[in-house]
């Protein structure tokens, strides 16, 4: 006895094995892509995407090694200071948050929020606890 089944993607009638689900590899790929898009974004992907965006923004604005930028400019681009990879504390007690090799420190001057952007330096390695 033969069952008439449809392709899960294009709904064409399938010919061949009884356990076949797709008419060709393109339909299988399109179906899996469609299923993945309908799934909510995984937490890991959200964090990874935000870290990548933060790094890209910090790299774009920190061409000189140490720069001051208004926080509204970075936030307009999608920067989120809650996502960082590590931190470094200087001798004054300021804590710089880093996204890989690009760091930032939040400052308030004359009621205007700013970020001091820095790039990781070799001397910063000395202050990391082991």
């Amino acid at each position: 006895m033969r069952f008439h089944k449809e392709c899960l993607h294009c709904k064409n009638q399938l010919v061949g094995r009884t356990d076949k689900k797709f008419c060709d590899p393109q339909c299988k790929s399109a179906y899996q892509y469609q299923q993945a898009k309908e799934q909510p974004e995984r937490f890991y992907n959200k964090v990874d995407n935000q870290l990548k965006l933060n790094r890209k923004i910090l790299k774009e604005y920190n061409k000189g090694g140490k720069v001051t930028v208004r926080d509204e400019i970075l936030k307009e681009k999608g920067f989120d200071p809650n996502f960082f990879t590590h931190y470094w504390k200087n001798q004054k007690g300021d804590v710089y948050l880093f996204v890989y090799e690009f760091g930032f420190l939040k400052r308030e001057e004359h009621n205007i929020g700013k970020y001091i952007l820095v790039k990781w330096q070799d001397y910063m390695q000395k202050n990391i606890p082991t």
Side-chain angles (χ1 to χ4, degrees):
M1 185 162 141
R2 185 99 175 128
F3 293 103
H4 295 284
K5 290 174 69 177
E6 296 178 339
C7 173
L8 292 177
H9 181 67
C10 69
K11 307 299 182 206
N12 288 340
Q13 188 172 348
L14 294 175
V15 179
R17 295 177 20 189
T18 57
D19 62 344
K20 193 172 183 180
K21 296 180 182 178
F22 304 98
C23 53
D24 59 31
Q26 289 79 16
C27 275
K28 181 178 180 179
S29 177
Y31 179 81
Q32 290 174 340
Y33 177 75
Q34 177 185 354
Q35 294 298 311
K37 281 190 77 164
E38 291 173 4
Q39 297 285 328
E41 190 176 17
R42 292 186 0 230
F43 177 74
Y44 169 81
N45 290 348
K46 286 182 184 179
V47 171
D48 190 46
N49 290 338
Q50 187 62 54
L51 285 172
K52 287 177 184 176
L53 179 61
N54 280 0
R55 183 187 180 278
K56 178 183 171 189
I57 293 167
L58 292 173
K59 181 179 180 183
E60 179 183 335
Y61 282 94
N62 190 358
K63 301 281 188 203
K66 185 175 182 182
V67 181
T68 303
V69 181
R70 287 188 175 195
D71 64 353
E72 62 195 37
I73 294 172
L74 298 182
K75 288 181 181 177
E76 283 175 7
K77 296 278 189 174
F79 180 76
D80 186 343
N82 296 316
F83 291 83
F84 56 92
T85 56
H86 61 287
Y87 66 91
W88 172 73
K89 188 174 183 179
N90 68 10
Q91 292 175 345
K92 295 180 194 173
D94 297 326
V95 177
Y96 286 83
L97 303 176
F98 278 82
V99 181
Y100 304 108
E101 75 273 30
F102 296 100
F104 59 96
L105 174 66
K106 176 82 168 161
R107 284 281 185 228
E108 191 85 21
E109 293 178 9
H110 309 293
N111 293 328
I112 298 172
K114 297 181 180 183
Y115 285 108
I116 299 171
L117 308 183
V118 297
K119 199 167 180 187
W120 185 260
Q121 303 294 318
D122 288 336
Y123 70 85
M124 295 174 176
Q125 188 71 28
K126 295 175 189 173
N127 293 357
I128 294 179
T130 53

